[in-house]
Amino acid sequence: MAAELDTVAGALLTVWDGARERTANRISTAQLRAVMLVERQDGINLRRLAAGLDMLLSSASRLCDRLVAAGMLEREPGRADRREISLHLTAEARRLLAELRDDRRQHLAAILADMTPEGREALLHGLREFDEVARARVVRPVSPLVPQPEEEPRRPQLPEAHGGAEQPLRSWSAGETAVVRTA
């Protein structure tokens, strides 16, 4: 089953990669990952960005330098500590991400239009379940290219009423429509 899914998922990845190539060719893939992480965590500091991208602090700093020069990121002194820099997207970066997502959605809509209503519903149902199970297994996404829903405040884990075992916290609601994206 995993091999079949890997094979058929190629078409979906091709749509995403095509949108990335058509619209986001102004920045590298690493830069796009950084922009998307800053989008999800507005005001993130450089240390957290480096950790989120799984790269050295010095590499993340150079990446940010290039993004600032390209007009995609702005640096702002931290509110609590002026030595700490917080990162924010520029209007240009937001336009780039919107363009990328719009292109991807247009191509997906054209493909979905050729599917039967039953096929579309089955696909959506299966992907929602896949998303739910995958998110429950992943503590920290491997890549910031995996979209994260708005974070809810963390609540402490409470013991179960019977047996005292702790229940894992869930950060996504089961009915949420989320699709793993490359951008």
Side-chain angles (χ1 to χ4, degrees):
M1 176 67 141
E4 289 179 74
L5 179 60
D6 183 53
T7 301
V8 299
L12 188 57
L13 293 174
T14 300
V15 170
W16 288 330
D17 289 343
R20 196 280 183 232
E21 288 176 18
R22 284 186 296 278
T23 59
N25 57 7
R26 291 166 270 182
I27 60 176
S28 71
T29 300
Q31 290 171 330
L32 179 60
R33 291 176 59 221
V35 165
M36 294 180 76
L37 184 54
V38 172
E39 178 189 39
R40 280 194 318 276
Q41 297 180 30
D42 185 52
I44 190 172
N45 65 27
L46 191 56
R47 194 168 302 282
R48 286 182 58 210
L49 180 73
L53 296 173
D54 196 26
M55 64 174 44
L56 296 172
L57 185 61
S58 59
S59 299
S61 180
R62 286 190 301 276
L63 184 70
C64 286
D65 289 343
R66 290 190 298 273
L67 285 167
V68 168
M72 297 289 161
L73 284 185
E74 294 176 339
R75 291 184 176 117
E76 179 182 290
R79 291 182 179 96
D81 182 353
R82 307 269 310 154
R83 294 171 295 173
E84 186 174 274
I85 301 298
S86 62
L87 301 169
H88 306 276
L89 294 185
T90 63
E92 177 61 23
R94 292 185 192 287
R95 278 191 295 277
L96 176 79
L97 292 174
E99 183 182 324
L100 174 68
R101 290 178 179 131
D102 184 55
D103 181 89
R104 188 176 53 226
R105 288 173 182 154
Q106 286 179 21
H107 282 82
L108 287 172
I111 294 167
L112 291 169
D114 290 341
M115 292 177 66
T116 65
E118 297 79 18
R120 286 191 301 266
E121 191 59 39
L123 175 64
L124 183 57
H125 175 76
L127 285 174
R128 280 181 177 158
E129 184 176 344
F130 181 90
D131 179 66
E132 182 180 335
V133 171
R135 289 177 188 266
R137 294 178 62 105
V138 177
V139 174
R140 181 178 76 83
V142 175
S143 164
L145 296 179
V146 178
Q148 306 296 306
E150 295 296 319
E151 285 191 24
E152 296 177 15
R154 293 243 179 224
R155 294 168 295 184
Q157 292 182 340
L158 300 174
E160 225 178 31
H162 298 62
E166 290 188 356
Q167 292 292 326
L169 289 178
R170 295 194 36 142
S171 58
W172 295 283
S173 65
E176 197 174 317
T177 353
V179 177
V180 176
R181 309 175 216 189
T182 59

